[in-house]
Amino acid sequence: MENYWRPRRLGHANLFIGDYERAAEYYGDVVGFREVYRQPNNRATFVSNGNTYHDLGLTDVKSRYGKP
């Protein structure tokens, strides 16, 4: 799949999502980010487009940080 949209700079953001593994695949396949670090014991992954170590943190709502 060819990437038609590729962000140049995000800065840094954290998203709480329903499935961190599926979200990492989406941001890799569709947006062009690459996974740089995964915390399976915390259900989180971090992706980057190459500008910084990680531009986007994806934390599963079922993680210890996803609870109110």
Side-chain angles (χ1 to χ4, degrees):
M1 177 185 232
E2 187 176 341
N3 292 324
Y4 293 100
W5 180 79
R6 184 176 178 104
R8 294 186 338 203
R9 185 108 177 122
L10 178 63
H12 184 90
N14 292 303
L15 300 177
F16 285 92
I17 41 78
D19 184 336
Y20 79 103
E21 292 171 325
R22 187 170 173 208
E25 289 179 25
Y26 170 82
Y27 281 97
D29 294 345
V30 176
V31 183
F33 284 139
R34 65 180 171 83
E35 185 177 61
V36 293
Y37 183 66
R38 184 176 284 209
Q39 295 178 333
N41 61 335
N42 187 34
R43 302 180 66 94
T45 191
F46 302 89
V47 294
S48 175
N49 67 355
N51 286 316
T52 60
Y53 172 68
H54 69 273
D55 297 285
L56 184 60
L58 304 167
T59 304
D60 201 296
V61 293
K62 296 177 243 35
S63 77
R64 61 182 170 179
Y65 297 111
K67 298 176 183 173

